Amino acid sequence: MINWQNKLARLAREALCAELSAYPKAGLVSLVDSGSHSDMNSATFLASINALDEYWRVIAELGARGAPFSELVGAGKQAEHSMLSATQNVNTHRGAIFIVGILLAGVAYAHSHQLPFSQTPQIIRQLWGESLIEHPTTSKSHGNSIRQRYPELASNLLSTAASGFSELFDNYLPCLHALYPQYNERAYLEIFYRLLAEVNDNNLLYRGGAAGLTLAQNLAAKFVANGGIRQVDWLSHATQIHQQLVAQNLSPGGCADLLAATIFLHSVERNLWA
């Protein structure tokens, strides 16, 4: 495999590790604790991350040649199987397999065709956007059940992907670029709480309904408005939010996946388009 494709696979792995290491992400598993989860811990996540190494290499190759969406789906299904085998059927990274996988395919195509990094959303829209919109979902999936119960609140990940994840490129990636030189990995927590404040996370709706979503978003929005990670006592405030979500059994897994995706994009741009 071409060296830069191996580098893309390594950066995807490192992004998942960085997301796991970031603490405190309200309600989520980290190296410190298991958040609102009794069925998984950091060891579960590390086993899953190890199981996905081959998937990132496969997606890099498929993306570089602009493979049909059906081939990306096949690779994703195999990755889910590998994940579940490694975690004894615990879903640790299904969202990341999809989100980071699509983004990795897009940046692989851009790099292999010597296109600007900023064209990645357009590439995803052109190559796979229509297929993403038309992709069938399981009627019994959590996502479908949440969209039926909360049609005005629930997010649609397929539509977000079909847009090329433009919101990440337009909003969250520039924020990480601005903060990282001064704050390094602490900047990941700022991105997480901004995502938590602004994204209608279906995992929050599933666990806590509209009230749970509102609670988490309001806490995160207040944290950001008060200065986020720039506050002297930012860690204490973030830890309090974490504890409040754990007490309510709330877990914004969708925000965790989007954080990993933003970290991945940031690393890719710095390493392959610097």
Side-chain angles (χ1 to χ4, degrees):
M1 179 179 287
I2 301 172
N3 182 56
W4 64 263
Q5 293 179 350
N6 280 321
K7 182 177 285 189
L8 273 180
R10 176 175 59 80
L11 293 175
R13 175 191 175 88
E14 290 176 356
L16 296 189
C17 289
E19 184 277 318
L20 175 62
S21 299
Y23 176 86
K25 304 182 305 294
L28 293 165
V29 174
S30 72
L31 298 176
V32 176
D33 61 44
S34 297
S36 300
H37 297 273
S38 60
D39 60 339
M40 61 182 82
N41 55 33
S42 60
T44 320
F45 271 70
L46 290 170
S48 176
I49 290 170
N50 288 334
L52 295 177
D53 281 346
E54 181 59 24
Y55 170 64
W56 306 126
R57 288 189 285 268
V58 170
I59 284 293
E61 187 278 325
L62 293 175
R65 61 179 174 85
F69 184 65
S70 59
E71 293 189 38
L72 303 187
V73 171
K77 289 181 177 179
Q78 181 58 50
E80 285 192 18
H81 177 76
S82 298
M83 172 194 73
L84 294 172
S85 295
T87 63
Q88 286 73 55
N89 290 316
V90 176
N91 170 24
T92 48
H93 288 109
R94 183 172 286 131
I97 287 169
F98 177 75
I99 296 170
V100 179
I102 293 292
L103 288 167
L104 198 158
V107 296
Y109 185 91
H111 194 273
S112 66
H113 290 78
Q114 298 182 321
L115 297 171
F117 173 80
S118 60
Q119 286 192 18
T120 302
Q122 179 182 346
I123 289 165
I124 293 172
R125 290 194 296 269
Q126 290 179 342
L127 290 178
W128 306 298
E130 184 176 345
S131 296
L132 281 161
I133 291 294
E134 296 174 351
H135 185 61
T137 56
T138 305
S139 60
K140 296 182 180 179
S141 70
H142 285 177
N144 273 339
S145 66
I146 291 301
R147 283 189 289 275
Q148 290 170 7
R149 288 169 60 191
Y150 306 101
E152 302 300 320
L153 290 175
S155 60
N156 188 323
L157 186 54
L158 290 175
S159 296
T160 302
S163 78
F165 294 99
S166 57
E167 282 289 308
L168 295 185
F169 287 84
D170 293 342
N171 296 331
Y172 302 103
L173 188 56
C175 181
L176 184 52
H177 281 317
L179 291 170
Y180 192 85
Q182 179 175 356
Y183 296 100
N184 301 116
E185 283 72 24
R186 192 201 301 183
Y188 300 157
L189 274 300
E190 179 78 16
I191 301 305
F192 169 76
Y193 281 99
R194 287 176 182 248
L195 286 163
L196 182 56
E198 298 165 0
V199 171
N200 285 0
D201 191 310
N202 287 354
N203 293 275
L204 290 173
L205 286 170
Y206 182 77
R207 283 180 173 241
L213 175 67
T214 299
L215 172 66
Q217 289 183 328
N218 287 346
L219 290 170
K222 182 178 180 181
F223 175 78
V224 173
N226 286 340
I229 62 167
R230 297 178 180 89
Q231 301 173 82
V232 174
D233 52 355
W234 73 272
L235 181 58
S236 173
H237 288 304
T239 301
Q240 289 174 21
I241 298 172
H242 176 52
Q243 293 169 344
Q244 285 179 268
L245 263 63
V246 170
Q248 298 291 325
N249 195 36
L250 297 172
S251 174
C255 292
D257 297 330
L258 292 171
L259 172 61
T262 307
I263 295 170
F264 171 70
L265 292 172
H266 179 247
S267 299
V268 167
E269 186 170 15
R270 292 170 64 222
N271 281 273
L272 293 183
W273 273 271

